[in-house]
């Protein structure tokens, strides 16, 4: 029987009491999942942000449940240790609690996720409670909720007025009371994030919410510098892979044009030099093309 090696929901909950800061990164395929898993990132989020960074949409609203299931199964195959949480996309849980249970169940059963995340505060407390009741762990998400982009008038900071801040605090409390095991706080002032973090017993994971949260999440493509046109002020880019990738692809194009790639040694049928390695180990999740 396979041993449970992934970070569990109880371990994520316990991190708050232990004062351990959590990291969560979005991943949408096996290769990126493997990279972040190898780095020791605790939680991989198959975010509906895939609609924007993978599918090239303006918003997350067009992402289908089938898309998230597909990407979740790839992320699960590419990782071994991280907890994998799948986002519930727009209209997969809003219409009824029954539909929410079916959609979330598919993310676990078909996608292989260990938990789901859904956007929404107090109005979704009963949905969260029912999911938890049937054994589906839920990560909440309050503050800026990109699925409400039209209602919010864009992807804007939330909770700047006293009334809005009270509502977001109330949302976070309701989501925690309903049984969520962690809560994403997106794009809210840092003092409000600190107040919420002190008020709820479960870890808060911030994005654009300042340093007081119990953990931080970044979109993986932003972290690696793959989204050059998006420069939100709360993102730190830990690499510049877009520029590096353009440079590499340009070099490939130039070498092909100049007849410098491939060289005869790289072709099948060439005699390898005596020092050349004869076989290359395949990555863990398997590739079987000839080498
Ligand atoms: O979909 C996503 O990537 C998210 C994060 C921004 C938290 O929900």
């Amino acid at each position: 029987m396979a041993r449970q090696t992934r970070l569990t929901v109880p371990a994520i909950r316990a991190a708050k009491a232990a004062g351990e800061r959590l990291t969560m990164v979005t991943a949408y395929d096996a290769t990126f999942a493997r990279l972040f898993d190898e780095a020791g990132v605790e939680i991989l989020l198959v975010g509906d942000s895939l609609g924007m960074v993978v599918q090239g949409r303006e918003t997350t609203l067009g992402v289908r449940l089938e898309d998230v299931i597909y990407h979740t199964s790839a992320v699960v195959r590419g990782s071994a240790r991280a907890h994998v949480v799948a986002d519930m996309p727009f209209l997969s849980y809003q219409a009824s609690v029954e539909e929410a249970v079916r959609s979330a169940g598919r993310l676990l059963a078909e996608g292989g996720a260990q938990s789901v995340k859904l956007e929404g505060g107090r109005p979704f407390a009963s949905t969260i409670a029912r999911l938890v009741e049937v054994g589906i762990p839920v990560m909440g998400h309050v503050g800026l909720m990109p699925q409400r982009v039209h209602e919010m008038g864009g992807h804007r900071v939330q909770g700047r007025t006293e009334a809005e801040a009270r509502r977001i605090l109330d949302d976070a409390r309701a989501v925690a009371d309903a049984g969520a095991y962690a809560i994403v706080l997106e794009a809210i002032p840092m003092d409000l994030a600190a107040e919420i973090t002190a008020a709820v017993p479960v870890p808060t994971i911030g994005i654009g919410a300042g340093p007081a949260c119990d953990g931080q999440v970044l979109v993986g493509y932003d972290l690696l510098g793959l989204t050059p046109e998006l420069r939100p002020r709360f993102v730190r880019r830990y690499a510049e892979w877009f520029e590096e990738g353009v440079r590499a692809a340009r070099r490939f194009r130039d070498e092909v044009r100049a007849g410098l790639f491939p060289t005869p040694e790289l072709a099948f049928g060439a005699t390898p030099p005596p020092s050349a390695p004869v076989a290359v180990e395949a990555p863990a999740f398997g590739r079987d093309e000839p080498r």
Side-chain angles (χ1 to χ4, degrees):
M1 197 160 113
R3 207 158 58 87
Q4 168 70 41
T5 55
R6 290 185 185 275
L7 191 68
T8 62
V9 163
I12 293 170
R13 261 184 210 277
K16 179 159 182 143
E20 287 161 12
R21 290 219 162 113
L22 294 161
T23 48
M24 178 161 89
V25 175
T26 67
Y28 317 107
D29 68 21
T31 300
F32 280 82
R34 187 171 173 223
L35 184 160
F36 296 127
D37 198 46
E38 186 89 17
V41 167
E42 286 91 9
I43 307 172
L44 298 179
L45 167 64
V46 187
D48 62 357
S49 51
L50 73 87
M52 297 166 84
V53 296
V54 176
Q55 299 175 337
R57 300 176 189 275
E58 290 285 312
T59 72
T60 60
L61 299 181
V63 175
R64 300 165 311 156
L65 183 62
E66 284 67 24
D67 299 333
V68 184
I69 293 172
Y70 169 87
H71 287 280
T72 300
S73 64
V75 167
V76 169
R77 284 193 293 271
S79 59
R81 290 176 298 197
H83 180 90
V84 178
V85 51
D87 235 348
M88 299 195 69
F90 185 55
L91 287 191
S92 70
Y93 63 95
Q94 288 92 340
S96 70
V97 173
E98 287 69 30
E99 194 167 358
V101 172
R102 270 194 203 92
S103 302
R106 288 188 65 195
L107 290 167
L108 268 60
E110 298 173 40
Q114 284 88 59
S115 66
V116 300
K117 175 169 86 58
L118 64 84
E119 294 177 13
R122 179 166 292 287
F124 287 90
S126 54
T127 304
I128 294 171
R130 181 65 185 145
L131 291 173
V132 173
E133 194 174 54
V134 299
I136 301 175
V138 179
M139 179 182 283
H141 182 153
V142 303
L144 169 57
M145 294 179 271
Q147 291 177 20
R148 305 182 82 113
V149 59
H150 298 308
E151 184 202 29
M152 292 181 164
H155 294 105
R156 325 163 75 98
V157 176
Q158 301 294 305
R160 285 198 200 271
T161 65
E162 187 60 26
E164 255 186 29
R166 290 302 108 206
R167 186 186 43 74
I168 295 170
L169 174 61
D170 184 49
D171 278 344
R173 282 208 174 104
V175 165
D177 288 349
Y181 72 90
I183 308 173
V184 168
L185 305 181
E186 181 165 356
I188 58 173
M190 63 179 179
D191 290 350
L192 175 58
E195 194 179 349
I196 294 172
T197 300
V200 297
V202 295
T204 57
I205 304 184
I207 178 163
C213 301
D214 299 303
Q216 297 291 328
V217 52
L218 282 179
V219 169
Y221 283 28
D222 292 343
L223 182 161
L224 294 171
L226 280 165
T227 46
E229 70 291 350
L230 292 176
R231 290 194 173 263
R233 81 182 246 184
F234 56 82
V235 168
R236 178 171 293 163
R237 301 155 80 108
Y238 289 85
E240 291 296 343
W241 281 15
F242 187 84
E243 283 158 24
E244 175 71 9
V246 169
R247 269 198 300 276
R250 190 173 287 138
R251 211 173 132 206
F252 167 64
R253 184 204 60 179
D254 292 347
E255 289 194 356
V256 170
R257 284 185 178 174
L260 297 171
F261 177 86
T263 53
E265 305 84 68
L266 296 177
F268 293 109
T271 315
S275 60
V278 284
V280 178
E281 204 182 312
F285 46 89
R287 285 172 55 174
D288 56 9
E289 71 266 38
R291 287 169 177 272

